[in-house]
Amino acid sequence: MTVMIIGANGQLGQDLMSVFDDEAVGLTHDDLDVRDAVSVIAAMQAYRPDWVINTAAVHNVEECERNSALAYAVNASGACNVARAANEIGAGVAYISTDYVFGGAVRSRRNPFREDATTHPLNMYGVTKRAGERMIMTSSNRHLIVRTAGLFGLATSRKGWTFPELMVTKARSGEQLRVVNDQVLSPTNTADLARTIRDLIQNEVTGLVHVTNEGECSWYEFACEALKIAGVRATIEPVQTEYARDRARRPSYSALDSLTLGNNEVDRLRHWGEALEQYLREKDLVFHVGGTARKAVPR
Ligand SMILES: NC(=O)c1ccc[n+]([C@@H]2O[C@H](COP(=O)([O-])OP(=O)(O)OC[C@H]3O[C@@H](n4cnc5c(N)ncnc54)[C@H](OP(=O)(O)O)[C@@H]3O)[C@@H](O)[C@H]2O)c1
């Protein structure tokens, strides 16, 4: 099987390249711009993959508000270019979507969104990703849409850091941290996500699937747990979303759950706390006290 990975040097793209190993053909943004339909078709015809995984996105939430035309061109029409071209050569297409397609309907919601939940994005990022999902459903006969959230992993995107790494680094340098405590999500490790995407593709699962690590937390709880595991003492203050004064609105609750994984005999992912602990150790961000690691959050 040949699997084309678009966005191959991105955060998730690098882990996908590892799990698919010699089956993978990786294309970076320099190799291919998904907005250019002609180049996308040419790439499909040149490599003739069995599956294409499209990780390309504009996902900086504030940037999407400022430049919604660019966000739409990449997240929606660009994704449609990929789906159509893949369909033309008979390849399956996987599109990576987001928990930010949710959050707008019921502000007091506290039960995780499953695949059959009604979407209601609050910001341009969510709007353009939902548009991408819909275009893929109508452009490809063999599609897999994977919604995920709060990615962290050893490989980083162009920005060069992950949220837990940033928290630990800032705390170590003595910076006082303020982190929002009224946005709840399911943080997800990219290596776990990449392995699950591989399992889904190998099992020929199609349709819509939510893939996140188990459990949920606020960004504040996520940061506190990272500091606890890393063994860093720091002052960390929970703040409300308004404090950040962002332009984009963000979901107060967007944790995901999956019915589809179990129904297709694909394992659910481990708890986010366990994945975070392994990540911080591998990243060498855990401060060893007498060789004893601190425990992750209780399940
Ligand atoms: N990060 C998260 O927390 C998160 C949460 C939920 C869902 N997701 C989704 O997961 C996917 C992967 O996210 P990630 O964190 O791995 O992102 P990432 O590290 O930014 O990787 C995205 C890759 O796409 C490339 N790209 C951007 N515009 C492109 C274009 N027009 N044509 C071709 N390639 C382009 C980027 O290249 P350049 O950097 O060189 O432009 C980058 O290599 C995205 O679809 C995102 O919407 C992410």
Side-chain angles (χ1 to χ4, degrees):
M1 178 162 74
T2 301
V3 180
M4 178 188 281
I5 294 157
I6 297 178
N9 59 349
Q11 185 176 205
L12 174 60
Q14 292 177 62
D15 279 314
L16 287 167
M17 290 298 292
S18 297
V19 299
F20 283 101
D21 198 18
D22 54 9
E23 292 182 313
V25 171
L27 297 180
T28 68
H29 196 171
D30 287 341
D31 301 320
L32 178 76
D33 191 320
V34 295
R35 292 172 294 174
D36 179 353
V38 174
S39 304
V40 173
I41 291 170
M44 296 296 164
Q45 284 168 346
Y47 293 104
R48 305 213 63 92
D50 302 292
W51 273 88
V52 182
I53 307 177
N54 179 17
T55 74
V58 176
H59 60 81
N60 178 308
V61 177
E62 289 300 302
E63 186 185 357
C64 291
E65 285 317 287
R66 283 192 303 271
N67 194 348
S68 55
L70 174 67
Y72 191 86
V74 177
N75 297 344
S77 348
C80 183
N81 291 338
V82 174
R84 280 197 184 134
N87 202 51
E88 223 170 275
I89 60 154
V93 65
Y95 174 71
I96 315 303
S97 192
T98 170
D99 57 329
Y100 275 26
V101 298
F102 295 115
V106 188
R107 301 289 294 171
S108 58
R109 184 179 172 117
R110 279 297 174 270
N111 54 318
F113 292 93
R114 287 181 169 161
E115 290 88 350
D116 57 359
T118 307
T119 54
H120 192 141
L122 276 175
N123 52 44
M124 284 315 296
Y125 174 55
V127 166
T128 57
K129 292 296 280 192
R130 183 175 68 170
E133 291 183 357
R134 288 180 175 171
M135 286 178 170
I136 281 144
M137 288 174 190
T138 54
S139 311
S140 160
N141 300 323
R142 204 163 134 240
H143 59 261
L144 172 66
I145 294 169
V146 173
R147 290 191 188 131
T148 189
L151 298 183
F152 64 95
L154 291 178
T156 53
S157 61
R158 208 145 43 100
K159 70 186 178 197
W161 45 263
T162 65
F163 174 77
E165 180 183 7
L166 184 70
M167 292 298 108
V168 171
T169 310
K170 282 188 168 187
R172 283 223 174 111
S173 68
E175 210 174 304
Q176 193 190 346
L177 302 174
R178 290 190 180 87
V179 184
V180 288
N181 196 26
D182 57 353
Q183 293 173 30
V184 172
L185 72 156
S186 306
T188 302
N189 176 256
T190 48
D192 291 356
L193 172 61
R195 278 190 292 271
T196 303
I197 292 172
R198 180 199 55 200
D199 293 348
L200 288 164
I201 285 178
Q202 283 176 348
N203 289 4
E204 277 290 329
V205 177
T206 53
L208 178 61
V209 190
H210 288 179
V211 184
T212 57
N213 281 116
E214 291 283 302
E216 61 184 51
C217 60
S218 69
W219 288 103
Y220 169 74
E221 291 165 332
F222 190 15
C224 288
E225 189 58 21
L227 299 190
K228 190 171 98 183
I229 295 167
V232 189
R233 280 184 195 280
T235 314
I236 176 162
E237 186 188 337
V239 294
Q240 300 293 296
T241 297
E242 294 82 60
Y243 178 87
R245 296 212 182 133
D246 286 337
R247 187 164 167 171
R249 294 174 68 209
R250 287 158 200 263
S252 58
Y253 186 87
S254 59
L256 301 182
D257 187 19
S258 178
L259 276 176
T260 315
L261 285 179
N263 290 345
N264 287 283
E265 293 171 10
V266 175
D267 289 339
R268 295 171 73 89
L269 281 63
R270 60 190 162 161
H271 190 273
W272 65 267
E274 196 181 326
L276 177 64
E277 178 160 359
Q278 186 181 349
Y279 159 74
L280 291 170
R281 282 186 188 293
E282 287 176 357
K283 195 85 187 166
D284 213 14
L285 287 170
V286 175
F287 179 63
H288 295 275
V289 186
T292 320
R294 293 171 188 238
K295 289 260 349 128
V297 283
R299 312 286 175 265

